[in-house]
Amino acid sequence: MGKKDVYRFWALMDMADEGVSVHFPDLPGCLTAGDTAEEAHIAAREALEGFLYVMEQDGDVIPEPSPLDAILRQADPGEYPCEVTVWMPAIRDAMESKAVKKTLTVPKWLNDEAERKNLNFSQVLQAGLKEALGIENRK
């Protein structure tokens, strides 16, 4: 099965005095919480985005969402269903554009000269990598 642009899953929210916990019955391990229902819903969307992105990257099979009546049969007393929808192209773009920290070594004399010229090491490395890979104008 290929990657989808839109995923929709039912979450179960449990309202308690100390906050709202959220879990996705179709995606064991995908859970989050918030102080209010609104915060929990936002956190649920963010948790779902990240969970599905990792599943895609790992090549895991993403299940089809269960219908609401099946989710309701799994709900504990006090849990309420909440539909959570995510748009994955934006998530994929954001994750693939995310900066990653790299540690590297250069000779001291080269470091000193670059600092004297106020060069931005990250920009120079990115430009050099793009040139070496034949990549132009990609962020």
Side-chain angles (χ1 to χ4, degrees):
M1 173 189 275
K3 295 177 184 178
K4 293 182 179 178
D5 286 345
V6 177
Y7 290 98
R8 180 203 50 81
F9 282 92
W10 289 102
L12 288 173
M13 297 180 124
D14 186 6
M15 313 290 189
D17 291 339
E18 59 275 355
V20 182
S21 63
V22 182
H23 70 98
F24 292 85
D26 290 328
L27 302 166
C30 185
L31 34 93
T32 190
D35 290 334
T36 65
E38 291 79 12
E39 286 179 11
H41 187 264
I42 292 167
R45 184 180 42 78
E46 292 170 350
L48 184 59
E49 290 168 347
F51 199 86
L52 293 175
Y53 179 78
V54 170
M55 288 184 76
E56 287 181 350
Q57 292 302 110
D58 290 348
D60 295 338
V61 175
I62 297 173
E64 288 297 317
S66 296
L68 179 57
D69 59 342
I71 296 297
L72 289 172
R73 285 192 298 273
Q74 297 176 53
D76 290 333
E79 287 186 326
Y80 301 94
C82 175
E83 184 179 51
V84 181
T85 303
V86 295
W87 173 250
M88 291 304 291
I91 303 311
R92 291 180 199 118
D93 288 346
M95 294 302 288
E96 291 167 11
S97 303
K98 186 175 92 173
V100 293
K101 185 172 179 71
K102 301 303 274 179
T103 303
L104 60 106
T105 306
V106 296
K108 182 179 180 339
W109 67 266
L110 188 57
N111 179 70
D112 294 345
E113 193 61 31
E115 285 181 350
R116 263 194 286 285
K117 300 277 185 176
N118 292 318
L119 292 180
N120 180 310
F121 284 79
S122 292
Q123 288 177 345
V124 171
L125 177 58
Q126 287 179 48
L129 287 171
K130 287 177 183 177
E131 182 179 326
L133 295 169
I135 298 171
E136 293 181 28
N137 298 325
R138 182 173 172 198
K139 290 184 178 183

